[in-house]
Amino acid sequence: MPGIMSEPILTEAQRRVGVVTLNRPDVLNALSLQLMDKLAGALEAFDADPEIRVIVIAGSEKVWAAGADIKDMADASPTRMHELNMFARWERIKRIRKPIIAAVSGFALGGGCELAMHCDIIIASESAKFGQPEINIGIIPGAGGTQRLTRAIGKFRAMDMVLNGRFISAREAYEFGLVSRLVPKEHFLAAALNLAHEMAQKPPIALRLAKESVLKADELALSEALEYERKLFYLLFDTEDQKEGMAAFLEKRRPEFKGK
Ligand code: CAA
């Protein structure tokens, strides 16, 4: 189809699931500024769409994303980098409130690994490879890699990856706690979509608040985070979905959640 190959991302709404596919195969889905702009815009549109409850970001079977586009940065000065403000797009992705599932196969490197870590659940195919190889091109991770990776897998494994640029296999990533579920290569996308459709049956407000609460674990001290969790817990008793969920349990029927 004309034009499709030149679109850096493709989007599709599958009932209650919004799917974004990274689509720069010639450069291993390098995350150009244009791609990141469109990705942030697509995620925001799904976040604002009342029909959509869960979002999936997918790459291809061969590659999730090989990092920021090195061509965008190779000759840049610090002032130019400041002007480009590339991390503004990442901040927008961080603010998405609906759950995002990453469907990762092949390389997830540099900004690619960081993009997966901006998601909430990572489904990885057995062929996935994760790495923060920025050290090999004279920089360090800039979209949160040194922080989110360290929180996910611990200081010593993170140092091994960030200082050496070592790639880890999907199995290692799973064992280290970077991956939520490891699935056969042939099924990685179906597994992510099935999970998304399953989660889309759940009460949407509770889904959003659950995400918000888990993310506080990285931001707040334990006592503050527990207090925060409790306030969100109380808040949900103001939703119709809480009444429906508990009534359905007691009446031994399936709940019908409306997102109210
Ligand atoms: N940016 C721009 N182009 C890229 C790219 C990137 N990050 N990664 C791959 N490409 C391009 C290559 O230049 C090549 O293009 P040409 O065909 O025009 O030469 C094409 O994609 C295919 O790549 P390779 O020929 O290198 O494929 P390979 O299978 O031999 O190697 C690879 C695969 C190991 C992933 C290798 O491409 C690679 O090391 N890529 C760069 C990984 C990297 O350093 N990522 C970090 C980027 S910086 C960053 O992300 C900063 C941040 O924190 C935000």
Side-chain angles (χ1 to χ4, degrees):
M1 221 182 287
I4 284 247
M5 289 316 284
S6 56
E7 281 301 320
I9 61 161
L10 306 173
T11 60
E12 184 195 354
Q14 290 186 7
R15 298 196 305 281
R16 292 168 167 175
V17 175
V19 184
V20 184
T21 305
L22 309 174
N23 185 44
R24 298 186 74 211
D26 295 348
V27 287
L28 309 184
N29 289 339
L31 304 169
S32 62
L33 295 169
Q34 190 210 21
L35 183 152
M36 290 303 295
D37 258 337
K38 297 212 167 189
L39 176 61
L43 296 176
E44 284 168 346
F46 282 141
D47 211 30
D49 182 342
E51 296 299 315
I52 298 294
R53 296 185 177 183
V54 178
I55 301 168
V56 173
I57 305 180
S60 65
E61 190 183 305
K62 187 179 164 215
V63 64
W64 159 260
D69 193 319
I70 297 170
K71 279 196 188 131
D72 283 342
M73 305 178 284
D75 298 322
S77 64
T79 329
R80 178 68 187 138
M81 288 302 286
H82 190 258
E83 271 166 11
L84 284 175
N85 198 14
M86 62 193 284
F87 299 117
R89 286 93 173 163
W90 295 83
E91 287 297 322
R92 287 165 61 195
I93 295 173
K94 195 181 123 191
R95 285 198 291 272
I96 300 299
R97 301 194 309 168
K98 291 177 186 169
I100 309 178
I101 299 172
V104 179
S105 185
F107 293 115
L109 303 178
C113 187
E114 290 166 308
L115 179 61
M117 291 191 289
H118 273 67
C119 299
D120 305 305
I121 291 179
I122 302 179
I123 303 295
S125 99
E126 281 160 348
S127 71
K129 286 192 172 53
F130 294 83
Q132 295 288 165
E134 288 90 341
I135 197 78
N136 296 328
I137 54 169
I139 55 170
I140 66 171
T146 62
Q147 303 308 304
R148 289 197 178 87
L149 189 65
T150 306
R151 282 167 166 76
I153 69 175
K155 171 184 164 185
F156 296 99
R157 286 163 170 163
M159 286 288 189
D160 192 20
M161 291 174 71
V162 173
L163 304 189
N164 290 315
R166 172 165 105 83
F167 297 172
I168 58 170
S169 66
R171 164 106 7 227
E172 285 174 295
Y174 178 68
E175 283 164 6
F176 293 176
L178 181 59
V179 159
S180 318
R181 299 187 193 183
L182 187 58
V183 295
K185 191 166 82 174
E186 314 78 73
H187 305 312
F188 83 98
L189 187 54
L193 291 172
N194 286 344
L195 174 62
H197 285 290
E198 201 181 302
M199 282 167 59
Q201 304 300 316
K202 305 206 183 291
I205 302 173
L207 271 182
R208 292 201 299 273
L209 297 193
K211 166 172 174 163
E212 185 177 329
S213 196
V214 172
L215 288 175
K216 288 293 174 205
D218 280 348
E219 307 279 346
L220 301 178
L222 182 60
S223 57
E224 290 171 79
L226 291 172
E227 198 54 47
Y228 196 92
E229 177 194 80
R230 202 162 301 161
K231 298 234 160 68
L232 297 183
F233 177 82
Y234 292 147
L235 188 60
L236 285 165
F237 284 78
D238 202 33
T239 63
E240 288 178 24
D241 285 347
Q242 174 269 324
K243 302 290 178 275
E244 164 66 7
M246 293 195 183
F249 177 80
L250 294 173
E251 292 160 18
K252 301 191 187 304
R253 62 173 172 83
R254 277 170 71 90
E256 190 57 48
F257 293 121
K258 299 200 171 104
K260 291 184 183 164

